[in-house]
């Protein structure tokens, strides 16, 4: 069974630029999550989708972050414009039940 | 709000030593509790879980018991190996089956020396 796929794996941008991350969950998983993991901290939930609807986006900085999950499968997370403090690993996870399966993450560096 | 506190690392042990990584939590309701592990260069993997008080989760020689009275979920292993070197995260979910987003601790970096 293929795992959660994410791309790109690494991205370096300058502040005020925009960036987008892509996630392909495990086939059949209805729930998809995006987490932000800043160096030295645990992952923090940004947004949770159930199929193509948003369940929880209470911790998503909506002035600069946006996410969508068209057709209830793939998802993209966008940052526009990026700030220095957005430097982090962005993790995508999916689940069918209680266990969440994580992708390898995208490491974003904002200079 | 929900929060998880786990012991700061790095924790350095010799092979075959006994391991304890402390984890305490604050949550509304009755959370499900998890330990995730991140091996070098790999993604987060679920190590074990417990969904109600007094449950014991176990996997790969690791175990943790859900202690509601002390709001704790300490990770233990009787004899660690070099291959156990990784970062360990304690986490909780307040949905009934853990399908909601997880609240993580900061992680504990474990280093096992031969």
């Amino acid at each position: 069974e293929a795992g959660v796929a994410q791309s790109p794996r690494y991205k370096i941008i300058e502040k005020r630029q925009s960036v987008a991350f892509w996630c392909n969950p495990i086939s059949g998983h209805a729930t998809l999550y995006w987490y932000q993991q800043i160096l030295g901290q645990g992952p923090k939930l940004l947004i949770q989708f159930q199929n193509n609807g948003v369940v929880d986006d209470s911790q998503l900085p909506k002035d600069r972050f946006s996410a969508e999950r068209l057709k209830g499968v793939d998802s993209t997370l966008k940052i526009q414009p990026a700030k220095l403090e957005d430097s982090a690993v962005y993790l995508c996870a999916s689940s069918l039940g209680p266990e969440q399966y994580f992708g390898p993450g995208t490491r974003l560096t904002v200079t | 709000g929900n929060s998880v506190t786990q012991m700061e690392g790095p924790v350095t042990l010799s092979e075959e030593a006994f391991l304890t990584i402390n984890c305490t939590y604050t949550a509304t309701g009755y959370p499900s509790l998890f330990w995730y592990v991140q091996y070098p260069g790999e993604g987060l993997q679920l190590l074990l879980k417990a969904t109600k008080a007094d449950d014991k989760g176990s996997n790969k020689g690791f175990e943790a018991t859900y202690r509601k009275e002390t709001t704790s979920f300490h990770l233990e292993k009787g004899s660690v190996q070099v291959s156990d070197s990784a970062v360990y995260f304690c986490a909780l979910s307040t949905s009934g089956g853990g399908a909601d987003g997880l609240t993580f601790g900061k992680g504990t970096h474990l280093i096992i020396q031969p």
Side-chain angles (χ1 to χ4, degrees), chain A residues 33 35 37 40-43 45 48 91 98-100 102, chain B residues 36 44 46 49 89 97-102 104-106:
Chain A
Y33 315 79
Y35 291 85
Q37 185 176 14
Q41 299 184 19
L45 179 70
Q48 177 185 350
L91 297 167
E99 182 173 351
Q100 295 185 25
F102 285 81
Chain B
Y36 277 80
L44 278 167
L46 178 65
K49 67 180 180 184
F89 293 91
D100 279 356
L102 295 164
F104 284 88
K106 290 187 176 182

Side-chain angles (χ1 to χ4, degrees), chain A residues 1-5 24-31 69 72-74 94-96:
Chain A
E1 177 182 82
V4 176
N24 182 237
I26 293 173
S27 178
H29 281 196
T31 311
R69 190 183 184 196
V73 182
D74 292 6
S94 69
S95 71
L96 189 58

Side-chain angles (χ1 to χ4, degrees), chain B residues 67-88:
Chain B
R67 301 287 187 199
K68 184 183 171 191
E69 63 276 13
T70 54
T71 61
S72 65
F73 192 54
H74 304 323
L75 182 68
E76 297 182 335
K77 186 174 185 183
S79 176
V80 292
Q81 306 300 314
V82 172
S83 57
D84 294 327
S85 298
V87 181
Y88 292 81

Side-chain angles (χ1 to χ4, degrees), chain B residues 18-99:
Chain B
F18 185 87
L19 168 71
T20 301
I21 301 178
N22 291 336
C23 170
T24 58
Y25 66 89
T26 303
T28 53
Y30 301 95
S32 296
L33 301 173
F34 306 82
W35 277 100
Y36 277 80
V37 59
Q38 188 168 35
Y39 297 103
E42 299 185 18
L44 278 167
Q45 304 172 27
L46 178 65
L47 180 60
L48 53 83
K49 67 180 180 184
T51 57
K52 61 183 188 295
D54 299 326
D55 267 3
K56 178 185 283 189
S58 61
N59 186 26
K60 298 182 180 180
F62 291 89
E63 32 178 61
T65 302
Y66 188 143
R67 301 287 187 199
K68 184 183 171 191
E69 63 276 13
T70 54
T71 61
S72 65
F73 192 54
H74 304 323
L75 182 68
E76 297 182 335
K77 186 174 185 183
S79 176
V80 292
Q81 306 300 314
V82 172
S83 57
D84 294 327
S85 298
V87 181
Y88 292 81
F89 293 91
C90 185
L92 68 82
S93 170
T94 50
S95 74

Side-chain angles (χ1 to χ4, degrees), chain A residues 32 34 47 49 52 66-70 74-78:
Chain A
L32 184 147
W34 283 102
I47 189 166
F49 292 94
N52 60 352
S66 64
E68 61 182 8
R69 190 183 184 196
L70 299 176
D74 292 6
S75 177
T76 56
L77 176 69
K78 297 179 182 177

